[in-house]
Amino acid sequence: MKMSTNSISEEFQIKEQIHQRHYLVNGELKEWKGNTSEVISTISSTPEYAHTVLGSIPDMGEKEALDALDAALGAYDQGQGVWPTMKVKDRIECMESFVEKMKRQREVVVKLLMWEIGKSLPDSQKEFDRTVEYIEDTIEEYKELDRSSAKFQKHQGVYAHIRRGPLGVVLCLGPYNYPLNETFALLIPAIIMGNTTVFKPAKHGVLLITPLLEAFQSSFPKGVVNILFGRGRAVAAPIMQTGKVDVLALIGNSKSANALQDQHPKSNRLRLVLGLEAKNPAIILPDADLDLTIDEVIAGTTSFNGQRCTALKVVYVHEDIKDEFLKRFSKAVDALKFGNPWDDGVKLTPLPEPGKPAYIQELLDDALAKGATVHNKKGGQQSDNYIWPAVLHPVSKDMRVYEEEQFGPIIPVLSFKDISQPLDDMAESNYGQQVSLFGKDVYTLSPLIDTLANLVCRVNLNSSCQRGPDVYPFTGRKDSAQATLSVHDALRSFSIRTFVAFKDNELNNETIEQLLEAKVSNFLSTDYIL
Ligand code: G3H
């Protein structure tokens, strides 16, 4: 599994390091003169394996964090700020200007996605394009929302003009596996709804925000978007401790979310928009179409090396087809191509976390010691920055790989005779995001779908689990999520219904007519955005 590292084509080579020395606070790209951390790729640029230094980023602390918070608070100005009171049409214009500037940075962001987190070229391109599409769809959805609010209702002699208003200051933290897409899937709806934000990129995939700093600075009024660099503990915790954050928007793990939530002194004031970990199962029934099932389970378990919250992290296969499944599935896993992200047809790529192969090895050793066997020849083979996905069976509940969300390349398989086993396990599990169900017989599938829909939030029929298309709701039960994200739902998660009401009498009706004619209120308006 040695990679040839001296054949990186010109366009993908790292020619210059990026030493990020600016951060965005209160509309200003401030220069950072303090400590910095190196950004190191686990991908090698030389024939002898060695990590590649991509550049460095500021290591900020409490002072800068509180400055950024002050800027966001100032821009919100208790709801009186330019941004939260701005006309919807004008906020949309700012967002349109941002997305146009962002599009120009595609090449550099895609290259950094490959080097910083090891995502394959097609998937990195998809992440960028999907994010642009998400922003454009959000703009359209916001226009629709605005159009449907441009009216008055009347019930029991009371008129109401109901809109969705911002919540205040949003602290936004994204994950390293989708440092652009998932972070922006929080940030963009939060901004467009009139909130002001403090955003800190994930632990990996930070440099790729650099080319977008200027676009943020020049597209939005000062203080609306503030961008910090550093460790969550150093910058996010002091911000939460002030009690001045209205929304914690985080995609990551429940431990970080809980730790941050606990820092907020007035938890009742804090709204949570969280996408957390999961342990999505595949359930393979005896009549499943094995060719299709194997393709989907390969995609579900190995896409981006299993570093997806939606990845299939445990596979339940019926006893009657277990042997056939294990044989063919193991062969398919070993046939995947490992290589650098830009290599043609590559499916498995270097792991960005230097400690990940050792962690996966620990899970593997624990499972083997407790009776599991590796079914594929390459399973567990290690190189400098990778460990080949091991197809493990039989897996039991006392194994770490059953309990822990591996977020990496290892595939635990359990066999079952009675369908109540996977169902009971799911009911007991701490997670409840999605499931993949493979089978054909409608009389078997129907009651299962009815039960599974109450255990998770998306039942994928003969298909692997995934978040997209982004117009569909993305959420989960138990420790897997709080609030719902989608182009449509995110606008609701980052806003609250607020309205003007008045009793139907001559004085009020005349006043409202004059208000509408004068066009001086941005909230109370029946203008229609096309
Ligand atoms: O990490 C979790 C992501 O939301 C997964 O998204 O299903 O599009 O890979 P995806």
Side-chain angles (χ1 to χ4, degrees):
M1 261 193 18
K2 273 276 163 209
M3 275 189 294
S4 124
T5 46
N6 51 358
S7 56
I8 302 175
S9 86
E10 187 81 12
E11 63 188 303
F12 302 123
Q13 285 172 18
I14 291 291
K15 302 246 172 72
E16 255 174 63
Q17 296 179 346
I18 302 174
H19 294 284
Q20 174 59 42
R21 289 295 175 271
H22 290 91
Y23 62 109
L24 180 59
V25 171
N26 212 21
E28 214 186 303
L29 282 171
K30 290 199 174 170
E31 196 183 343
W32 173 249
K33 296 201 175 114
N35 293 342
T36 57
S37 301
E38 273 194 328
V39 179
I40 298 171
S41 173
T42 58
I43 301 171
S44 179
S45 305
T46 58
E48 306 76 36
Y49 179 79
H51 288 175
T52 305
V53 178
L54 302 178
S56 58
I57 45 168
D59 220 347
M60 299 182 164
E62 184 167 342
K63 185 190 168 305
E64 298 71 38
L66 296 181
D67 283 351
L69 176 65
D70 277 348
L73 285 164
Y76 194 70
D77 194 14
Q78 309 185 74
Q80 303 171 71
V82 172
W83 188 247
T85 55
M86 193 182 262
K87 276 196 177 114
V88 169
K89 190 170 133 290
D90 296 337
R91 280 211 292 263
I92 286 176
E93 265 171 32
C94 294
M95 194 57 85
E96 282 169 342
S97 148
F98 172 75
V99 75
E100 283 316 308
K101 290 173 197 159
M102 175 179 167
K103 283 183 198 166
R104 292 179 217 142
Q105 305 298 335
R106 182 177 190 265
E107 204 179 314
V108 52
V109 173
V110 165
K111 186 165 160 181
L112 284 166
L113 271 168
M114 292 192 285
W115 278 95
E116 286 194 87
I117 61 162
K119 190 167 276 192
S120 71
L121 175 62
D123 283 352
S124 297
Q125 289 167 330
K126 192 168 145 203
E127 176 158 354
F128 189 91
D129 297 339
R130 176 182 175 182
T131 309
V132 166
E133 201 181 322
Y134 188 91
I135 301 174
E136 291 174 340
D137 289 350
T138 296
I139 291 172
E140 285 312 309
E141 185 67 26
Y142 192 28
K143 287 184 189 168
E144 180 55 40
L145 181 64
D146 191 69
R147 282 194 288 264
S148 61
S149 315
K151 61 178 185 207
F152 290 86
Q153 305 182 15
K154 187 181 172 192
H155 295 282
Q156 298 173 15
V158 179
Y159 279 106
H161 180 67
I162 310 175
R163 289 188 174 273
R164 298 201 73 94
L167 293 159
V169 172
V170 180
L171 174 62
C172 185
L173 306 164
Y176 83 79
N177 63 337
Y178 281 90
L180 187 74
N181 181 263
E182 299 241 86
T183 313
F184 280 33
L186 298 173
L187 194 58
I188 298 300
I191 297 171
I192 209 168
M193 290 310 292
N195 302 285
T196 61
T197 58
V198 177
F199 153 50
K200 188 198 83 67
K203 62 176 170 178
H204 301 291
V206 183
L207 286 177
L208 58 88
I209 299 299
T210 308
L212 301 173
L213 279 180
E214 201 273 321
F216 276 117
Q217 185 211 15
S218 57
S219 306
F220 300 102
K222 66 175 191 170
V224 173
V225 185
N226 302 280
I227 303 179
L228 292 170
F229 300 92
R231 297 177 66 94
R233 228 172 299 139
V235 294
I239 291 179
M240 291 300 287
Q241 284 157 10
T242 63
K244 291 179 179 164
V245 168
D246 299 289
V247 187
L248 172 64
L250 177 151
I251 296 190
N253 66 63
S254 54
K255 256 196 219 149
S256 332
N258 286 330
L260 283 173
Q261 242 168 283
D262 290 348
Q263 309 268 340
H264 197 292
K266 299 201 171 159
S267 56
N268 60 302
R269 291 197 192 176
L270 182 68
R271 282 239 185 168
L272 299 167
V273 179
L274 310 173
L276 305 172
E277 69 268 26
K279 194 87 180 156
N280 291 342
I283 301 176
I284 309 171
L285 301 171
D287 66 339
D289 174 331
L290 266 196
D291 288 332
L292 176 146
T293 303
I294 287 168
D295 286 352
E296 292 294 321
V297 177
I298 287 279
T301 52
T302 66
S303 304
F304 194 38
N305 308 306
Q307 301 164 117
R308 298 161 57 231
C309 62
T310 50
L312 289 174
K313 301 211 178 79
V314 55
V315 178
Y316 288 91
V317 57
H318 194 275
E319 276 290 343
D320 292 356
I321 51 161
K322 173 198 75 184
D323 294 337
E324 181 69 7
F325 172 80
L326 279 171
K327 195 170 88 197
R328 288 169 58 185
F329 181 69
S330 299
K331 226 172 136 192
V333 171
D334 282 354
L336 295 170
K337 182 174 167 187
F338 171 72
N340 278 328
W342 43 84
D343 294 346
D344 259 358
V346 77
K347 295 287 183 207
L348 310 175
T349 49
L351 298 165
E353 293 174 289
K356 199 51 153 301
Y359 166 69
I360 297 291
Q361 184 67 51
E362 275 178 29
L363 297 183
L364 188 54
D365 292 343
D366 172 76
L368 295 178
K370 290 173 182 160
T373 307
V374 175
H375 282 255
N376 54 328
K377 291 202 186 87
K378 295 188 188 172
Q381 279 181 17
Q382 276 200 50
S383 65
D384 303 296
N385 53 15
Y386 198 67
I387 180 162
W388 201 274
V391 180
L392 278 178
H393 177 271
V395 162
S396 51
K397 292 188 184 174
D398 57 338
M399 294 176 188
R400 286 179 59 191
V401 73
Y402 176 84
E403 200 55 46
E404 294 172 28
E405 195 215 22
Q406 63 266 38
F407 217 69
I410 184 164
I411 309 169
V413 181
L414 284 87
S415 38
F416 67 94
K417 272 203 191 81
D418 186 340
I419 189 66
S420 60
Q421 186 201 327
L423 295 182
D424 289 348
D425 290 353
M426 286 173 70
E428 256 175 45
S429 157
N430 289 329
Y431 308 114
Q433 191 198 61
Q434 300 188 19
V435 64
S436 288
L437 178 62
F438 296 93
K440 289 200 273 268
D441 177 50
V442 294
Y443 295 98
T444 312
L445 292 173
S446 304
L448 276 178
I449 291 173
D450 294 352
T451 303
L452 289 168
N454 292 342
L455 290 173
V456 294
C457 288
R458 174 165 165 166
V459 179
N460 298 280
L461 192 58
N462 294 311
S463 314
S464 65
C465 297
Q466 62 179 48
R467 173 179 175 151
D470 292 327
V471 290
Y472 293 148
F474 178 53
T475 185
R477 299 169 189 268
K478 299 190 263 188
D479 295 349
S480 286
Q482 195 153 338
T484 303
L485 293 170
S486 76
V487 170
H488 173 85
D489 293 289
L491 295 179
R492 283 151 184 84
S493 298
F494 286 104
S495 62
I496 189 163
R497 297 220 297 166
T498 175
F499 65 108
V500 176
F502 54 94
K503 288 185 182 154
D504 178 9
N505 58 38
E506 215 170 298
L507 169 73
N508 283 337
N509 296 354
E510 248 175 51
T511 310
I512 292 295
E513 265 170 35
Q514 281 175 23
L515 260 164
L516 290 173
E517 260 169 44
K519 291 191 186 295
V520 278
S521 165
N522 293 343
F523 184 92
L524 204 122
S525 156
T526 47
D527 282 358
Y528 214 70
I529 306 174
L530 296 175

PDB file of all heavy atoms in Angstrom, residues 59-72:
ATOM      1  N   ASP A  59      -3.211  31.305  16.694  1.00  0.00           N
ATOM      2  CA  ASP A  59      -3.641  30.561  17.866  1.00  0.00           C
ATOM      3  C   ASP A  59      -4.236  31.577  18.830  1.00  0.00           C
ATOM      4  O   ASP A  59      -3.543  32.119  19.690  1.00  0.00           O
ATOM      5  CB  ASP A  59      -2.379  29.941  18.502  1.00  0.00           C
ATOM      6  CG  ASP A  59      -2.653  28.562  18.978  1.00  0.00           C
ATOM      7  OD1 ASP A  59      -3.829  28.214  19.045  1.00  0.00           O
ATOM      8  OD2 ASP A  59      -1.675  27.849  19.279  1.00  0.00           O
ATOM      9  N   MET A  60      -5.489  31.886  18.678  1.00  0.00           N
ATOM     10  CA  MET A  60      -6.058  33.006  19.426  1.00  0.00           C
ATOM     11  C   MET A  60      -6.558  32.592  20.796  1.00  0.00           C
ATOM     12  O   MET A  60      -6.701  31.410  21.080  1.00  0.00           O
ATOM     13  CB  MET A  60      -7.200  33.608  18.622  1.00  0.00           C
ATOM     14  CG  MET A  60      -6.683  34.103  17.315  1.00  0.00           C
ATOM     15  SD  MET A  60      -7.983  34.854  16.381  1.00  0.00           S
ATOM     16  CE  MET A  60      -6.986  35.692  15.216  1.00  0.00           C
ATOM     17  N   GLY A  61      -6.838  33.591  21.592  1.00  0.00           N
ATOM     18  CA  GLY A  61      -7.280  33.318  22.952  1.00  0.00           C
ATOM     19  C   GLY A  61      -8.485  34.147  23.323  1.00  0.00           C
ATOM     20  O   GLY A  61      -9.193  34.710  22.472  1.00  0.00           O
ATOM     21  N   GLU A  62      -8.670  34.266  24.636  1.00  0.00           N
ATOM     22  CA  GLU A  62      -9.867  34.883  25.189  1.00  0.00           C
ATOM     23  C   GLU A  62     -10.087  36.316  24.704  1.00  0.00           C
ATOM     24  O   GLU A  62     -11.195  36.709  24.362  1.00  0.00           O
ATOM     25  CB  GLU A  62      -9.759  34.838  26.722  1.00  0.00           C
ATOM     26  CG  GLU A  62     -10.993  35.352  27.395  1.00  0.00           C
ATOM     27  CD  GLU A  62     -11.025  35.036  28.880  1.00  0.00           C
ATOM     28  OE1 GLU A  62     -10.275  34.138  29.328  1.00  0.00           O
ATOM     29  OE2 GLU A  62     -11.794  35.707  29.587  1.00  0.00           O
ATOM     30  N   LYS A  63      -9.011  37.088  24.635  1.00  0.00           N
ATOM     31  CA  LYS A  63      -9.175  38.505  24.304  1.00  0.00           C
ATOM     32  C   LYS A  63      -9.800  38.675  22.914  1.00  0.00           C
ATOM     33  O   LYS A  63     -10.764  39.422  22.737  1.00  0.00           O
ATOM     34  CB  LYS A  63      -7.818  39.231  24.382  1.00  0.00           C
ATOM     35  CG  LYS A  63      -8.004  40.695  24.157  1.00  0.00           C
ATOM     36  CD  LYS A  63      -6.750  41.486  23.971  1.00  0.00           C
ATOM     37  CE  LYS A  63      -7.049  42.888  23.468  1.00  0.00           C
ATOM     38  NZ  LYS A  63      -7.834  42.974  22.255  1.00  0.00           N
ATOM     39  N   GLU A  64      -9.213  37.960  21.952  1.00  0.00           N
ATOM     40  CA  GLU A  64      -9.718  38.083  20.577  1.00  0.00           C
ATOM     41  C   GLU A  64     -11.140  37.523  20.484  1.00  0.00           C
ATOM     42  O   GLU A  64     -11.984  38.046  19.752  1.00  0.00           O
ATOM     43  CB  GLU A  64      -8.819  37.317  19.593  1.00  0.00           C
ATOM     44  CG  GLU A  64      -7.386  37.829  19.523  1.00  0.00           C
ATOM     45  CD  GLU A  64      -6.564  37.525  20.771  1.00  0.00           C
ATOM     46  OE1 GLU A  64      -6.727  36.425  21.330  1.00  0.00           O
ATOM     47  OE2 GLU A  64      -5.770  38.404  21.193  1.00  0.00           O
ATOM     48  N   ALA A  65     -11.388  36.447  21.267  1.00  0.00           N
ATOM     49  CA  ALA A  65     -12.721  35.831  21.254  1.00  0.00           C
ATOM     50  C   ALA A  65     -13.751  36.848  21.740  1.00  0.00           C
ATOM     51  O   ALA A  65     -14.815  37.025  21.129  1.00  0.00           O
ATOM     52  CB  ALA A  65     -12.727  34.597  22.146  1.00  0.00           C
ATOM     53  N   LEU A  66     -13.408  37.547  22.823  1.00  0.00           N
ATOM     54  CA  LEU A  66     -14.378  38.509  23.371  1.00  0.00           C
ATOM     55  C   LEU A  66     -14.517  39.740  22.480  1.00  0.00           C
ATOM     56  O   LEU A  66     -15.601  40.328  22.392  1.00  0.00           O
ATOM     57  CB  LEU A  66     -13.996  38.884  24.809  1.00  0.00           C
ATOM     58  CG  LEU A  66     -14.066  37.681  25.790  1.00  0.00           C
ATOM     59  CD1 LEU A  66     -13.701  38.110  27.198  1.00  0.00           C
ATOM     60  CD2 LEU A  66     -15.431  37.004  25.784  1.00  0.00           C
ATOM     61  N   ASP A  67     -13.429  40.096  21.783  1.00  0.00           N
ATOM     62  CA  ASP A  67     -13.533  41.199  20.803  1.00  0.00           C
ATOM     63  C   ASP A  67     -14.517  40.827  19.696  1.00  0.00           C
ATOM     64  O   ASP A  67     -15.332  41.643  19.248  1.00  0.00           O
ATOM     65  CB  ASP A  67     -12.172  41.476  20.146  1.00  0.00           C
ATOM     66  CG  ASP A  67     -11.242  42.249  21.075  1.00  0.00           C
ATOM     67  OD1 ASP A  67     -11.714  42.706  22.143  1.00  0.00           O
ATOM     68  OD2 ASP A  67     -10.034  42.366  20.740  1.00  0.00           O
ATOM     69  N   ALA A  68     -14.402  39.578  19.249  1.00  0.00           N
ATOM     70  CA  ALA A  68     -15.291  39.120  18.163  1.00  0.00           C
ATOM     71  C   ALA A  68     -16.736  39.106  18.657  1.00  0.00           C
ATOM     72  O   ALA A  68     -17.659  39.513  17.935  1.00  0.00           O
ATOM     73  CB  ALA A  68     -14.871  37.732  17.691  1.00  0.00           C
ATOM     74  N   LEU A  69     -16.929  38.639  19.882  1.00  0.00           N
ATOM     75  CA  LEU A  69     -18.285  38.621  20.443  1.00  0.00           C
ATOM     76  C   LEU A  69     -18.838  40.047  20.546  1.00  0.00           C
ATOM     77  O   LEU A  69     -19.995  40.309  20.173  1.00  0.00           O
ATOM     78  CB  LEU A  69     -18.276  37.947  21.827  1.00  0.00           C
ATOM     79  CG  LEU A  69     -19.617  37.963  22.561  1.00  0.00           C
ATOM     80  CD1 LEU A  69     -20.665  37.130  21.818  1.00  0.00           C
ATOM     81  CD2 LEU A  69     -19.467  37.451  23.993  1.00  0.00           C
ATOM     82  N   ASP A  70     -17.992  40.978  21.019  1.00  0.00           N
ATOM     83  CA  ASP A  70     -18.435  42.376  21.129  1.00  0.00           C
ATOM     84  C   ASP A  70     -18.843  42.929  19.769  1.00  0.00           C
ATOM     85  O   ASP A  70     -19.825  43.679  19.662  1.00  0.00           O
ATOM     86  CB  ASP A  70     -17.305  43.251  21.688  1.00  0.00           C
ATOM     87  CG  ASP A  70     -17.274  43.163  23.208  1.00  0.00           C
ATOM     88  OD1 ASP A  70     -18.243  42.635  23.784  1.00  0.00           O
ATOM     89  OD2 ASP A  70     -16.262  43.588  23.808  1.00  0.00           O
ATOM     90  N   ALA A  71     -18.080  42.556  18.754  1.00  0.00           N
ATOM     91  CA  ALA A  71     -18.407  43.043  17.404  1.00  0.00           C
ATOM     92  C   ALA A  71     -19.765  42.506  16.971  1.00  0.00           C
ATOM     93  O   ALA A  71     -20.589  43.243  16.406  1.00  0.00           O
ATOM     94  CB  ALA A  71     -17.315  42.606  16.425  1.00  0.00           C
ATOM     95  N   ALA A  72     -20.015  41.211  17.252  1.00  0.00           N
ATOM     96  CA  ALA A  72     -21.305  40.617  16.867  1.00  0.00           C
ATOM     97  C   ALA A  72     -22.443  41.255  17.665  1.00  0.00           C
ATOM     98  O   ALA A  72     -23.514  41.552  17.121  1.00  0.00           O
ATOM     99  CB  ALA A  72     -21.267  39.107  17.077  1.00  0.00           C
TER     100      ALA A  72
END
